[in-house]
Amino acid sequence: MTTARPAPPGTPGPSAHGAETRRPAPRTGAPTEQQDTNLQAPVQPDAIRPTHVDPSPATGAQSLVRSLEAVGCDVVFGIPGGAILPAYDPLFDSRLVRHILVRHEQGAGHAATGYAQATGRVGVCIATSGPGATNLVTPLADAMLDSVPVVAITGQVGRKLIGTDAFQEADICGITMPITKHNMLVTDPAEIPRAIAEAFHIAASGRPGPVLVDLPKDVLQAHTTFSWPVETRLPGYRPTTRPHSKQIREAARLIGEARRPVLYVGGGVIKAEASTELLDLADETGAPVVTTLMARGVFPDGHHQNLGMPGMHGTVAAVAAMQKADLLIALGTRFDDRVTGDLSTFAPEAKVVHADVDPAEIGKNRVADVPIVGDAREVITELTAALRSADDGGRDARTERLLPWWDQLERWRQTFPLGYDDPADGTLSPEYVIERIGAIAGPDAIYSAGVGQHQMWAAQFIRYEKPRTWLNSGGAGTMGYGVPAAMGAKVGMPDTTVWCIDGDGCFQMTNQELATCAIEGIPIKVAVINNGNLGMVRQWQTLFYEERYSNTELGTHKHRVPDFVLLAQALGCEGLRCESKDDVDRVIEQAMAIDDRPVVIDFTVGADAQVWPMVAAGTGNDQIMAARDIRPLFDDPEAGGADEVPA
């Protein structure tokens, strides 16, 4: 069966599966004069997706597109090329799967990640063989480290050419084996539906992660049959989601006995959609909550029990609480080195309850006294229920026992709050800019970031009250993540304001995707925190290399190369510039009022602002610096130390 070519705009016509539908109005901001000549048939979001399809003739390429439709995919980010080209012909007709033509495959991968992080659904990217596929390596590694459900579909040279060093051949399955949750080379066109169904299931279930499906060109061109649903064959893949009741009871017992507990919450709680359950657990325990960089928003910043982010650039209160805790309840987190610092000195007095859906993470970095394998939402739900039925005096008794601990925590929180000083030279403060963006756009907006100083400031000075509103590259630290991730998030959440907080270094890596946004009608807003340098590298050179600034000046201040306003305009966006504190709110509000095209603001800020607090790499968390040359004395009662907390 072949699908019909699109009817003229506004007239009834058959969908890909026979339902009578009407073409929607052109996408906001998209050019309309070419709508019927070289653009994909507009997606019909209300069209009925197939749940059962009897065997019918199809090419491998048609089978691929119909499988994507059947599995629930609504958008793919990609670039066509020789080996994947057969798939693009039936994709041209699909009214269920929108294709967004990116400008670089890395942009496709990060857009799929941003889409997945913002929506909770599987993000999909597509590329051709050889360099097209290898350009996906960085976003796949990024998604692997941050446990993001992504499916990458790549073209491959024909089956007879595999292994011959053919034109644009690369063993992408071999290349990506260490950085994907699973990958597969499909050599039988009849197996395409099963491969796609399994890829989506593996990507989204258990600990989420990227899956790659490699499709030789002749497999896409071959004739086969398509039917749906398909039987998956994954006998060795059965993630444990239900926690063991004995471990839950033991964890509840330790919580009941603890005097200095901390709920250490990671991104796995967001992926498990367990933010509501986490609120219940926090209320039941009365314990302080710290949320990692990947978990910002899973627990409201406005909640009294939230101490903020732990780790290298976390709050003093969060870092100190973990160091002095007698019990860490780790939920969906992996004791990353940026959180623990020197492991040998991390939380020396704490017992550990470690719950994770991936058993390989438990005990990998820190021995767990109570290991719990299971889905975070089920673990949290059962743990809360166990506490409510425990014979430790109940919530009021637990709260009473924690009063001295909270007195201590409040001293740390009041003595060492997050803050910043305006630059002494009168230049614009980057922290102020980011704080004002968060205040004006509000907690309902989605914020993505590149990597570096601006990323840390965005994590610190924007208040996150909801999950899936903060997107960043936490594990890989990928410069260039911000713009394409924001693009993907906006596609997935079109009615939500999406800001990208980017640095002038990161922005120059992937800003070409603004052309995609302009043409496809994806009106993201980008704040370029332009300090003229690779800011975080410069900060380390200031602190550890005697201010020897080797190859960190970018020329975006001294030479204004590139001119970000003119660059934005060249890419089809609105370009604005702000250089003074008095203009910050006005320019942000001007950007907020523009909804028909992307907006880029060049915030020209001082070069010498630094990210504080800071735990220097390789040192222990006890060595945290609240600011330059200011080290909290945790064991000094006058400075909010731990001496007064009973053991």
Side-chain angles (χ1 to χ4, degrees), residues 266-284:
V269 179
I270 291 180
K271 292 169 177 63
E273 306 290 353
S275 58
T276 300
E277 291 78 4
L278 177 63
L279 279 165
D280 290 341
L281 178 62
D283 182 61
E284 192 64 35

Side-chain angles (χ1 to χ4, degrees), residues 140-266:
L140 288 173
D142 182 275
M144 185 69 173
L145 279 166
D146 287 344
S147 304
V148 182
V150 168
V151 169
I153 298 167
T154 54
Q156 183 55 274
V157 299
R159 286 169 289 185
K160 292 183 179 179
L161 294 175
I162 292 176
T164 68
D165 293 333
F167 177 67
Q168 289 193 335
E169 181 190 0
D171 177 11
I172 196 61
C173 285
I175 290 168
T176 62
M177 186 175 292
I179 56 169
T180 52
K181 186 177 177 183
H182 186 60
N183 64 32
M184 59 192 95
L185 172 67
V186 182
T187 57
D188 181 353
E191 293 294 302
I192 290 176
R194 182 178 64 82
I196 296 300
E198 290 179 354
F200 273 71
H201 173 66
I202 293 170
S205 59
R207 179 181 182 176
V211 177
L212 182 138
V213 181
D214 199 26
L215 297 165
K217 184 173 185 177
D218 59 331
V219 170
L220 292 170
Q221 293 171 321
H223 291 277
T224 183
T225 59
F226 172 78
S227 63
W228 195 270
V230 295
E231 179 184 359
T232 58
R233 303 170 193 163
L234 298 168
Y237 180 70
R238 292 190 177 90
T240 299
T241 58
R242 184 75 182 270
H244 196 289
S245 59
K246 179 178 179 293
Q247 301 301 92
I248 292 291
R249 290 194 301 271
E250 181 62 15
R253 183 186 68 80
L254 288 183
I255 292 172
E257 295 174 353
R259 298 297 182 268
R260 301 189 305 277
V262 174
L263 287 168
Y264 163 33
V265 180

